[in-house]
Amino acid sequence: MTKILVYSGFSDANIGPKIGSAEYSYFYASREFYRVLEHFGDLVAIERPEEDVPEIYRACAARGEACVFFCFSPPHRVPLISGCPTVVVMAWEFSTLPCQQWDDDPRTDWSYVFRHVDAVIALSSHTADLIRELMGADYPAFAVPAPTFDGVQMAAEMALQPEIIAPKNQVFTYGLPHEADSAATNTELLNEEACDSSRFLVEAAGKKDEAAADSDAAQTSAGEGAVAVVDTKSEKGPRVASSGELSLPLSMRGAAYGISVRCFRTFLDVYRRWIRPLTPKPLARLLSESGQALYKASRSIVPVHSDVDHVALAGNLGHGGHLRTMQDLPAAGEGTKTGKIETQGDKVAPSEITTDQSDKNADDLHSLSQVDQSHSMSPTTTFALHGVVYLSILNPRDGRKNWQDLLTGFCWTFRDEPNATLVLKMSCPRELAPESEIKLFLREFSPMKCQVVVLCGFLPDEMIHTLYRHATFYVNTSSGEGLCLPLVEAMSLGVPVIAPQHTAMADYISSNNAFILKSSLEQNVWPHDPRDLYQTMRHRLDWGSLVDAFNDSFRTITTEPEIYRHMSRAARQEMRQFSSDDVVSRKIRDVLKVVFSERRKIAA
């Protein structure tokens, strides 16, 4: 039996608090591969590769067993262990590979690592082509995507919750649901083949409770474009703690951060062109490291919060929306749902489309206990998504993801459209999310009728797949992708996308399944290079094409449902051919065949 050793630097036990940290996505890629790799041998998860791999390899050699080490990591973090066959699994999204050494670490020159391992699995053809260009056409670099298709199908069958439930302190929303416009409602839009990925979600019929009077007072005091901060722990129910004239009041820190964001690129360009060449190397390195630390710290700046646990709701509060606490409602099989908050409308438009769920109660929420204990799951926020739902899952601290263009493009396109909702799932705790910057953008676009929901922190798989099932479109505006697992997973469920067709996305994005965004190349640095030298290029988004794609996608789902259904089927079919277990298994078999044949040649 072959021993297959797997290492990514993360595990199920520690991934929660490390969401958004460097290379955390390698954990999710490795987890997808587990299901396929276990068919080729005995899978062993490694936590200390420098100690565990040599020990296991020697034991296998003594028994005459084969052993291979799969390292899911960027090359400069790969432990180079002599003896055991090593396969690096990596992703890359820039135009060139790091092939220069710095900091006295030979692994920073990736060609050094490639010469000391047996094969490389690249998660995209883009990366595999770059490796062969650097190392030679005969180098054993294989383009193998993560096997997501079959896994996401099984997970989606368990995601039956009709609403999204998340830690309240990790959620902030802008804009309450409005009554759906009749032009956006058509029962034929439901797509049975796509796990209802095109469904419009509506809330249950609104029922006023004892807190409605206080909620109505909030609506009265906060007119269109105003903000109401609601204290959800008041003994008398929700009460307005404060209100203001601005749609999104900003602290001085938020305004200062907004200015710094706008000036950052200009300053960095001036520094790289004129200041750094005249600066001694030790001082230049110190300035570079300090600047990176300062920039990362600035992204964690958020407005000062009061001691009360509250939820901020902004937008047009005069269209029949109100807050309803769930504190007095009994849960299934339990006493109360303490602290849950539900955003509800007074009316349900008769033309809105309801959700057909096989399990309305959604009782099985025990998996929520997986959440990092540093972020309490009680109280929670429960909300439903309305109209045409655009979803994106990203790490806002990763500059490639370009969430700023995504948010501003959505707000500009749908500022007068109450049936459009953007859900941003940010892979970082709320205290590290760019909340001030988001508020700055939303203030500049106010007043708006569209809705924006921001979810932060760790969500269990069930809730992530519930988001996929509720999405009408998935949106990606990044400057480059090594694979983009959320995008692949959404397409596997038949969700059409808005995305560029470059880097890894060129493997599976086409006009049949996506509204393709335009982009052009611009200079950039290798993200882990402390020298900050322009050595590579990335793809800069054409913002106008994003606005066009938002408009085209909304028109398609509301007026041309047959085209939408065709795109949905095409997305699912493309993913079946691209990332199913069978397809990936055949490619892994080819990798292992090359690795062991080369080892036999060396032994001979």
Side-chain angles (χ1 to χ4, degrees), residues 225-548:
V227 92
V229 180
V230 182
D231 180 5
T232 62
K233 287 188 173 181
S234 171
E235 294 179 358
K236 297 181 179 180
R239 63 179 180 83
V240 178
S242 63
S243 62
E245 295 300 324
L246 295 178
S247 59
L248 288 171
L250 294 173
S251 66
M252 290 301 294
R253 290 190 300 169
Y257 179 69
I259 294 172
S260 69
V261 168
R262 296 174 185 274
C263 297
F264 179 75
R265 178 179 294 221
T266 301
F267 169 77
L268 193 60
D269 187 64
V270 171
Y271 170 75
R272 287 169 175 165
R273 290 176 182 271
W274 305 107
I275 300 177
R276 185 173 54 197
L278 303 177
T279 306
K281 287 186 177 181
L283 179 58
R285 176 175 299 179
L286 177 62
L287 290 174
S288 175
E289 294 174 352
S290 301
Q292 292 181 21
L294 180 62
Y295 178 67
K296 292 179 180 179
S298 71
R299 300 190 68 87
S300 66
I301 295 176
V302 297
V304 177
H305 294 284
S306 62
D307 293 333
V308 298
D309 192 3
H310 64 270
V311 57
L313 301 171
N316 186 347
L317 299 182
H319 279 67
H322 72 276
L323 285 178
R324 183 164 73 91
T325 62
M326 303 289 285
Q327 293 174 344
D328 299 326
L329 298 182
E334 296 183 5
T336 61
K337 293 184 179 179
T338 304
K340 289 190 179 179
I341 307 299
E342 180 176 339
T343 301
Q344 280 209 331
D346 293 331
K347 298 179 181 179
V348 174
S351 56
E352 288 182 325
I353 298 173
T354 59
T355 304
D356 181 16
Q357 296 284 7
S358 61
D359 183 5
K360 293 285 186 180
N361 294 326
D363 295 328
D364 188 14
L365 298 179
H366 64 276
S367 58
L368 293 176
S369 60
Q370 301 174 25
V371 176
D372 174 27
Q373 295 302 312
S374 64
H375 300 295
S376 174
M377 279 301 300
S378 179
T380 60
T381 293
T382 302
F383 59 93
L385 302 175
H386 292 253
V388 180
V389 177
Y390 294 88
L391 169 67
S392 189
I393 301 175
L394 51 85
N395 177 10
R397 296 186 291 170
D398 185 341
R400 300 169 302 142
K401 299 304 182 179
N402 189 27
W403 64 265
Q404 295 91 338
D405 278 351
L406 194 162
L407 178 60
T408 57
F410 175 85
C411 293
W412 176 260
T413 306
F414 299 116
R415 60 195 183 279
D416 296 321
E417 178 51 66
N419 296 310
T421 299
L422 174 64
V423 178
L424 288 176
K425 170 62 183 76
M426 293 192 165
S427 303
C428 68
R430 183 172 178 176
E431 57 267 23
L432 298 181
E435 187 170 347
S436 294
E437 189 177 353
I438 293 173
K439 288 184 176 182
L440 176 65
F441 284 132
L442 292 170
R443 176 179 181 271
E444 293 173 338
F445 283 96
S446 295
M448 298 183 298
K449 295 182 180 179
C450 56
Q451 294 87 48
V452 177
V453 178
V454 181
L455 302 173
C456 302
F458 177 78
L459 286 181
D461 292 343
E462 292 81 359
M463 278 298 144
I464 293 295
H465 288 96
T466 297
L467 284 175
Y468 291 145
R469 290 172 63 92
H470 291 175
T472 315
F473 296 98
Y474 188 94
V475 188
N476 180 294
T477 57
S478 70
S479 62
E481 291 289 356
L483 178 62
C484 194
L485 277 173
L487 179 58
V488 172
E489 290 177 342
M491 292 180 67
S492 297
L493 293 175
V495 181
V497 302
I498 297 173
Q501 193 181 29
H502 57 56
T503 54
M505 294 177 287
D507 286 343
Y508 52 84
I509 292 294
S510 71
S511 57
N512 289 329
N513 53 43
F515 295 91
I516 299 177
L517 303 177
K518 298 177 182 178
S519 63
S520 58
L521 287 171
E522 66 174 354
Q523 76 280 2
N524 202 61
V525 301
W526 292 320
H528 61 290
D529 184 354
R531 304 170 301 168
D532 289 334
L533 301 177
Y534 286 127
Q535 300 285 343
T536 190
M537 290 188 291
R538 66 178 182 179
H539 294 263
R540 186 173 188 173
L541 180 72
D542 182 330
W543 189 85
S545 72
L546 174 61
V547 172
D548 291 341

